Structure formats: C-alpha cells, structure tokens
Amino acid sequence: MPMIHRSRFNLAMELPPKMRPPVCLRYAMWCLAADVTPKYSFMKDIFYERARKYIEKDEMSSHGVAMVTVAHCQTWLLLAVFEFKSLLFPRAWLSVGRAARLTTMMNMNRVDGSGVSVKECIPPPSDWVDSEERRRTFWTAFCIDRYASMGTGWPMSFDERDVCCPHLAFVLKWSN
C-alpha cells in the first residue's frame, strides 16, 4: 500500500515532537513490519495494542478533531490490514469503516473533482506530493473497504457515485 511518502515521512521524523507524524501511525507501521520480520515478530501484538491505544487516545482528545488527519486515516488502514492478516474480521471491518469515514470527512473522495459541496476539515494540499498521498490514501481505503465487504458480506462504506474520478465512470460502465 504505497500511500505514505517515504522521504517526506522520514523528514517529518526529524521535526520537533509536536510536528512529527502521530505516534499511532508509527506503531501501526512497526506492527506490520514486525509481522513480516521473523526476528521481531514477537513484538507485533505489542505494537498493535499501542497503535490502537494511541489512536483511540487521539480520538478522545479535543472532541475528536485532533484525529481528522491523513495520518490517522492511514493508521486505521494499516491497523485494518493487520487485523485481516490476524483473522480479526469484525475489528478489521470496523477499522476500515473508520478510515472510510475519515476520507469522506476530509473530502478525499473528491480530490480529483472541482468544487466542494461539504465542509472542509483540513487545509488544501500544500503540493502535488500531499495531493498524491491523499489520493492514494483514499484509493487504499476504497479497495480495502471493497475487500472487507466482499469477504464478510457486510455493506460497503463508499458509494461509487460520490467519488470524483474521471476514470471511474469509464471503469464502472465498462464492467457492467
């Protein structure tokens, strides 16, 4: 899931603590890394629990506004992937749902559209890297949501008609 820009993330880790990516995202990344690295696999559950602890802490702080960020959405997606790999399907489906709601709140489903019809929760992208990271985060959420619903039979979070993508209409028309 190439949704996190590696260079920008690494540079952000050198910033002062308050400006770094959220702790929950770092633990979610470490969790998935530990899961595929035999030397550190014993730590995956610890990293997972800490990632959940910190994202839930962020959700409870400042009326939940602090967690309306691209990084928090990415955290929920990474946690969902780990939960799927660990066969925690109900928890994974809920995590994907949280990520889906965050993408919608941040208007990521319309990153390629013009004009905004909902309240802006985050500032506009600062550059093309920021825009591309949002686009990739949205499509990751979209794909994992489809996977989660296909595997469980539970409803999907996204309605294709609410996605602004010049190519999606062609794909949907072609697949019917």
Side-chain angles (χ1 to χ4, degrees), residues 105-171:
M105 285 174 68
M106 293 183 283
N107 226 18
M108 287 187 205
N109 57 324
R110 297 177 182 186
V111 74
D112 290 318
S114 60
V116 179
S117 62
V118 295
K119 179 184 173 190
E120 289 289 323
C121 294
I122 59 174
S126 58
D127 57 16
W128 73 270
V129 173
D130 193 20
S131 181
E132 185 64 19
E133 191 169 60
R134 292 177 188 196
R135 182 177 294 107
R136 288 172 181 234
T137 300
F138 167 73
W139 285 109
T140 299
F142 186 91
C143 292
I144 295 175
D145 177 59
R146 290 301 191 261
Y147 174 78
S149 296
M150 183 176 55
T152 61
W154 297 326
M156 295 174 276
S157 299
F158 293 107
D159 183 349
E160 295 93 354
R161 295 171 294 189
D162 199 32
V163 176
C164 280
C165 175
H167 307 294
L168 184 62
F170 172 76
V171 171

Side-chain angles (χ1 to χ4, degrees), residues 1-4 32 77-78 81 140 144:
M1 297 174 302
M3 64 181 169
I4 299 171
L32 284 171
L77 291 169
L78 294 176
V81 168
T140 299
I144 295 175

Side-chain angles (χ1 to χ4, degrees), residues 60-126:
M60 296 305 290
S61 68
S62 68
H63 301 288
V65 176
M67 73 161 297
V68 182
T69 68
V70 175
H72 284 89
C73 182
Q74 292 167 338
T75 301
W76 281 117
L77 291 169
L78 294 176
L79 290 173
V81 168
F82 178 77
E83 291 162 349
F84 277 122
K85 288 178 76 175
S86 301
L87 306 179
L88 303 169
F89 297 117
R91 200 180 298 174
W93 188 75
L94 291 170
S95 295
V96 171
R98 285 179 165 189
R101 289 289 187 196
L102 281 171
T103 63
T104 304
M105 285 174 68
M106 293 183 283
N107 226 18
M108 287 187 205
N109 57 324
R110 297 177 182 186
V111 74
D112 290 318
S114 60
V116 179
S117 62
V118 295
K119 179 184 173 190
E120 289 289 323
C121 294
I122 59 174
S126 58

